[in-house]
Amino acid sequence: MLKATGFYSKKDMDALFYVCSNRDWTAVMPIIMSVDPDALVVTDQIRSVRGIHLLDL
């Protein structure tokens, strides 16, 4: 969870940053919609993921 501030509302809120595979996407969307039907969901194709703890996943 990340702390965020609404651009127009200036209200503090939580933001979730989540990376998943195309296969997992179909399972994740119903969960998001059940928690927050008004959620803003941004998607993008990822070609490469790098990170020091990636192998721990």
Side-chain angles (χ1 to χ4, degrees), residues 27-41:
V28 170
M29 281 308 297
I31 297 169
I32 293 171
M33 292 297 110
S34 71
V35 173
D36 185 355
D38 297 323
L40 172 66
V41 178

Side-chain angles (χ1 to χ4, degrees), residues 2-57:
L2 304 170
K3 295 295 179 190
T5 304
F7 184 79
Y8 293 107
S9 69
K10 305 298 185 209
K11 292 181 182 177
D12 291 337
M13 59 187 74
D14 294 324
L16 175 66
F17 183 80
Y18 182 74
V19 178
C20 67
S21 68
N22 287 342
R23 182 178 29 164
D24 293 340
W25 177 250
T26 56
V28 170
M29 281 308 297
I31 297 169
I32 293 171
M33 292 297 110
S34 71
V35 173
D36 185 355
D38 297 323
L40 172 66
V41 178
V42 179
T43 63
D44 198 359
Q45 288 186 328
I46 306 299
R47 291 180 180 230
S48 175
V49 176
R50 295 185 177 107
I52 198 166
H53 296 287
L54 189 60
L55 296 177
D56 296 339
L57 301 175

